[in-house]
């Protein structure tokens, strides 16, 4: 099987490539990645001689057509992926997430190539903290941010290309990933690398917001289950029952790194900040027999902390610019009143 992996130099895509090279040595892999601020070939260290790496844009129709023509499957990870960036400048999100996905869909349509679309649970909006419901495949779309709305739009393009043109596609919507090689702009690596640098971690609002954490390797094993056994045209939600609020995560990181659990700052909250995500992955588990391997969040977090301690040369080049951008928009604020919904009071 020859696979084209878009965004293979980013967090989840590079872990997918590393995992695939290790577990499916017969697979031939081509990576297409524009190496934006979020991508680095260093994430493919150890496997670059086993794959073909093409630096380029998924919205480059001629390049995409020539690559898609030679493969059996496209797995589409490439995206602008960070909510905070989408609030500062939505344009790259529209271009990459919508125009880029459109370009890939037209190519797989022309060449009759199987396509798997990587998406997010954020397309469903957010839940109240005490809502007994979780997101499932029939939950209506209700995205909040420029990031999540462009991901929702890209999912809808895929659905239309399946129905109108018979494209052989599947979609997965996954919850928050953690693990090695995640950019230091994201919540968990930002706090770990801040603590390594002697800087206090930064919590948005009161920290009551809940995310449904899954280890990146569990996300990628689910993606493989869908590629191999998923029903064409279907959507599968990927989650590992990992709901934790941000305040608890920050305290766990501080504790695991030998710091007092209250040694963090509250900072300006994110505009439109989604309160809670929660995934019901029954379809994936019952239809495809998938189960997560990482069931203990604290030990997964400890291994992730070790990875950042051992791989400073990987993250150091991106740290200063990331914190400078945050400093321009975020200020330390007084601790919000307990019991609030995450907004400042
Ligand atoms: P990331 O930001 O770490 O990586 C994105 C990669 O895409 C980078 O290597 C970047 O260089 C590349 N890229 C960006 N624009 C491109 C373009 N125009 N052409 C080619 N390459 C381009 O993102 P991630 O966290 O690894 O997310 C990967 C996918 O998974 C995204 O589609 C995201 O929406 C989805 N997702 C992420 C999470 C999460 O928790 N991180 C959860 C669910 C779904
Ligand atoms: O749910 C899946 C989504 O998870 C993916 O689609 C996105 O690509 C991915 O970035 C992630 O989105 P979030 O916005 O949930 O992740 P982020 O790491 O930016 O933030 C996680 C939570 O932590 C969120 O509630 C905001 C909060 N936060 C974030 C940062 C960077 C803080 O409290 N402090 C911070 O410094």
């Amino acid at each position: 099987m020859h696979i084209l992996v878009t965004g293979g130099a980013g967090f989840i895509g590079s872990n997918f490539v590393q995992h695939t090279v290790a577990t499916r040595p017969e697979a031939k892999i081509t990576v297409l990645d524009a190496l934006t601020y979020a991508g680095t070939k260093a994430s493919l260290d150890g496997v670059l001689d086993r794959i073909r790496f093409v630096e380029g844009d998924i919205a480059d129709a001629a390049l995409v057509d020539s690559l898609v023509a030679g493969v059996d499957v496209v797995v589409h990870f490439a995206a602008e992926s960070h909510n905070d960036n989408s609030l500062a400048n939505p344009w790259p999100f529209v271009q990459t997430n919508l125009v880029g996905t459109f370009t890939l869909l037209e190519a797989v349509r022309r060449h009759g190539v199987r396509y798997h679309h990587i998406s997010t649970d954020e397309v469903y909006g957010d839940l109240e903290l005490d809502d007994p419901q979780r997101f499932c495949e029939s939950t209506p779309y209700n995205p909040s941010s420029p990031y999540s709305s462009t991901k929702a739009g890209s999912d809808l393009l895929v659905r239309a290309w399946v129905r109108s043109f018979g494209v052989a596609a599947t979609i997965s919507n996954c919850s928050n990933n953690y693990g090695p090689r995640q950019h230091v702009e994201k919540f968990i690596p930002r706090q770990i690398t801040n603590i390594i640098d002697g800087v206090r971690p930064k919590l948005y609002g009161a920290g009551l917001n809940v995310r449904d954490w899954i280890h990146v390797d569990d996300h990628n094993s689910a993606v493989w289950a869908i590629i191999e056994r998923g029903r064409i045209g279907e959507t599968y939600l990927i989650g590992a029952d990992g709901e934790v609020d941000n305040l608890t995560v920050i305290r766990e990181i501080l504790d695991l790194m030998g710091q007092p659990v209250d040694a963090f700052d509250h900072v300006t909250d994110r505009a439109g900040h989604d309160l809670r995500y929660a995934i019901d992955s029954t379809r994936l588990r019952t239809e495809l027999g998938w189960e997560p391997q990482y069931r203990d969040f604290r030990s997964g977090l400890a291994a992730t902390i070790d990875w950042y301690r051992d791989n400073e040369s990987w993250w150091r080049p991106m740290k200063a610019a990331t914190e400078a951008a945050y400093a321009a928009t975020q200020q330390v604020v007084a601790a919000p009143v307990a019991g609030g919904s995450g907004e400042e009071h």
Side-chain angles (χ1 to χ4, degrees):
M1 184 193 282
H2 187 173
I3 318 163
L4 177 65
V5 181
T6 71
F11 167 44
I12 306 174
S14 66
N15 279 290
F16 179 85
V17 172
Q18 297 274 359
H19 172 85
T20 301
V21 167
T23 58
R24 290 173 171 76
E26 71 289 355
K28 195 172 162 192
I29 301 173
T30 297
V31 167
L32 172 61
D33 196 296
L35 296 180
T36 68
Y37 81 95
T40 168
K41 281 174 92 171
S43 293
L44 294 167
D45 273 358
V47 295
L48 276 169
D49 59 344
R50 305 272 304 275
I51 65 170
R52 177 178 175 213
F53 183 88
V54 178
E55 182 175 347
D57 193 322
I58 56 166
D60 178 341
L63 175 63
V64 164
D65 189 78
S66 70
L67 294 174
V68 168
V71 302
D72 305 299
V73 185
V74 173
V75 189
H76 175 35
F77 291 93
E80 286 291 338
S81 69
H82 192 37
N83 277 297
D84 292 325
N85 293 344
S86 81
L87 295 164
N89 179 16
W91 165 244
F93 291 75
V94 172
Q95 173 63 23
T96 287
N97 300 355
L98 288 168
V99 179
T101 298
F102 161 77
T103 307
L104 284 161
L105 285 169
E106 285 292 82
V108 295
R109 168 156 90 107
R110 267 193 301 276
H111 296 289
V113 166
R114 169 88 167 85
Y115 173 87
H116 181 69
H117 185 72
I118 305 291
S119 192
T120 169
D121 58 358
E122 293 191 19
V123 299
Y124 301 113
D126 61 354
L127 299 163
E128 293 299 325
L129 294 178
D130 59 356
D131 190 337
Q133 308 270 5
R134 297 187 292 171
F135 299 140
C136 66
E137 285 78 4
S138 58
T139 304
Y141 275 35
N142 187 26
S144 311
S145 73
Y147 163 67
S148 53
S149 61
T150 56
K151 290 298 291 188
S154 72
D155 294 9
L156 298 182
L157 291 177
V158 179
R159 290 183 182 189
W161 262 241
V162 169
R163 176 147 178 177
S164 303
F165 305 123
V167 163
T170 41
I171 299 174
S172 53
N173 297 82
C174 187
S175 57
N176 286 62
N177 286 215
Y178 73 97
R181 307 182 188 87
Q182 185 169 29
H183 195 282
V184 298
E185 70 191 355
K186 302 295 184 347
F187 180 49
I188 288 176
R190 184 183 184 200
Q191 316 315 334
I192 295 170
T193 54
N194 275 354
I195 294 168
I196 291 172
D197 278 352
V199 173
R200 286 161 69 91
K202 308 295 179 212
L203 185 66
Y204 294 178
L208 299 180
N209 310 67
V210 170
R211 296 295 181 263
D212 191 351
W213 293 99
I214 180 172
H215 193 279
V216 64
D217 288 346
D218 281 334
H219 181 177
N220 283 327
S221 70
V223 169
W224 265 112
I226 297 164
I227 293 169
E228 290 178 336
R229 305 190 292 284
R231 278 183 292 140
I232 297 302
E234 282 301 337
T235 289
Y236 294 87
L237 264 58
I238 305 175
D241 301 329
E243 283 187 69
V244 193
D245 65 68
N246 295 342
L247 180 59
T248 302
V249 174
I250 233 166
R251 286 184 171 148
E252 289 258 41
I253 294 171
L254 282 160
D255 188 43
L256 285 163
M257 297 184 74
Q259 303 293 314
V261 296
D262 59 353
F264 63 87
D265 292 331
H266 293 272
V267 294
T268 325
D269 204 355
R270 173 183 287 169
H273 195 172
D274 279 343
L275 189 51
R276 170 171 165 249
Y277 306 140
I279 290 265
D280 176 352
S281 58
T282 303
R283 173 181 283 176
L284 176 69
R285 294 178 195 228
T286 53
E287 252 185 43
L288 306 186
W290 173 85
E291 288 294 332
Q293 300 302 308
Y294 292 79
R295 292 168 185 279
D296 178 20
F297 182 60
R298 189 174 163 90
S299 60
L301 208 48
T304 304
I305 291 168
D306 286 345
W307 190 87
Y308 282 89
R309 279 190 170 129
D310 295 345
N311 289 277
E312 183 168 342
S313 61
W314 182 90
W315 58 265
R316 178 58 65 196
M318 53 187 84
K319 183 66 180 167
T322 301
E323 286 307 315
Y326 276 134
T329 55
Q330 294 176 358
Q331 285 83 42
V332 174
V333 296
V337 176
S341 59
E343 312 93 321
E344 284 169 58
H345 296 271

